[in-house]
Amino acid sequence: MARSGQSSFTRTGSLTKKSSSPARHRVAGLAGGPVQRYSAVVLGAGGVGKSALVMRYGKNVFLEQYDPTIEEEYDLTVEYEGKRSFLHLVDTAGTEQFTGINESYIQRGVGFVLVFSLTQEATLKEVDHIRQQIHRIKGGDENVPMVVVGTKLDLMGEREVSSEKMQELAMKWGVPFYETSAKKGWHVNEAFDHLLASMRKRYPEGDPKSKRRRRDQCVIM
């Protein structure tokens, strides 16, 4: 059954998940301070594993069963590189559905995770379409914080997209690529942390749209 709504979970970098990232370990026990807010949107074709990525990053769990998403929003408090940030993540429907909704979130988001499956080359072509759409909606801005994530790295026997192809596109597009497995927990943190670092660099004072009126949210603990 499709999921919809504004349910959200709360996470701190060192409480709900353990990470091999030294930066995360160094911030344990930091005193509270100003927390900048950033909004990021996860986009890609249906079935590539967007929700699995988000849940692995936020809750360190893997979704065994595919459950098509209409729209899901999550709030996380993330500690990374000695700073605490408030991250609002939007997990969207597959781009072949609800295009108007996705365009609305592109307008509102300041950072983007573009997801494709390493086992389906056609989903990488969809990422290129999304990337161009983002630049168009953002008025041709070439410095939009963005990462491209290939999923299902654990399914090596089914792989259709080579590392060489990803490296070629990373150079051509000027966007970092990550190979990940939400099932195994491989490189998921690194991809989201890279995006957070890019958003912080571009918007050191936080999301310029963060003062927009928010809808009520419930929190999944």
Side-chain angles (χ1 to χ4, degrees), residues 170-184:
M171 293 292 294
K172 181 179 179 181
W173 295 351
V175 176
F177 274 62
Y178 284 86
E179 299 179 336
T180 70
S181 168
K183 183 174 184 178
K184 301 292 186 179

Side-chain angles (χ1 to χ4, degrees), residues 22 35 59 77 93 102 138 141 145 155 178 183 191 203 217:
V35 180
K59 295 287 285 184
T77 302
N102 287 339
K138 295 296 186 182
D141 186 353
L155 301 178
Y178 284 86
K183 183 174 184 178
Y203 303 104
Q217 298 178 334

Side-chain angles (χ1 to χ4, degrees), residues 159-215:
R159 183 164 182 161
E160 295 184 0
V161 181
S162 68
S163 296
E164 291 74 19
K165 178 66 173 179
M166 294 172 65
Q167 292 169 4
E168 176 188 334
L169 289 177
M171 293 292 294
K172 181 179 179 181
W173 295 351
V175 176
F177 274 62
Y178 284 86
E179 299 179 336
T180 70
S181 168
K183 183 174 184 178
K184 301 292 186 179
W186 296 340
H187 313 305
V188 176
N189 290 347
E190 290 92 328
F192 280 93
D193 289 345
H194 190 133
L195 180 67
L196 177 58
S198 297
M199 290 191 293
R200 285 175 173 176
K201 181 177 180 180
R202 180 68 189 275
Y203 303 104
E205 301 301 319
D207 184 345
K209 302 174 184 176
S210 63
K211 293 181 180 179
R212 64 180 178 271
R213 185 169 65 89
R214 304 180 204 167
R215 291 174 288 179

Side-chain angles (χ1 to χ4, degrees), residues 15-97:
L15 268 181
T16 60
K17 68 189 291 187
K18 294 182 180 179
S19 167
S20 60
S21 169
R24 289 181 183 277
H25 289 194
R26 284 198 300 269
V27 299
L30 284 179
V35 180
Q36 303 300 343
R37 176 184 174 92
Y38 297 95
S39 297
V41 185
V42 183
L43 294 158
V48 296
K50 298 185 296 296
S51 298
L53 279 175
V54 171
M55 292 303 293
R56 173 61 79 180
Y57 180 61
K59 295 287 285 184
N60 198 26
V61 298
F62 175 64
L63 299 177
E64 290 284 354
Q65 186 173 356
Y66 174 55
D67 186 9
T69 302
I70 294 177
E71 169 209 322
E72 200 78 66
E73 301 188 30
Y74 301 97
D75 289 334
L76 305 85
T77 302
V78 180
E79 293 180 347
Y80 176 63
E81 292 188 335
K83 287 182 62 178
R84 187 177 292 113
S85 297
F86 182 87
L87 184 59
H88 182 73
L89 279 176
V90 181
D91 178 16
T92 65
T95 50
E96 67 277 7
Q97 305 177 60

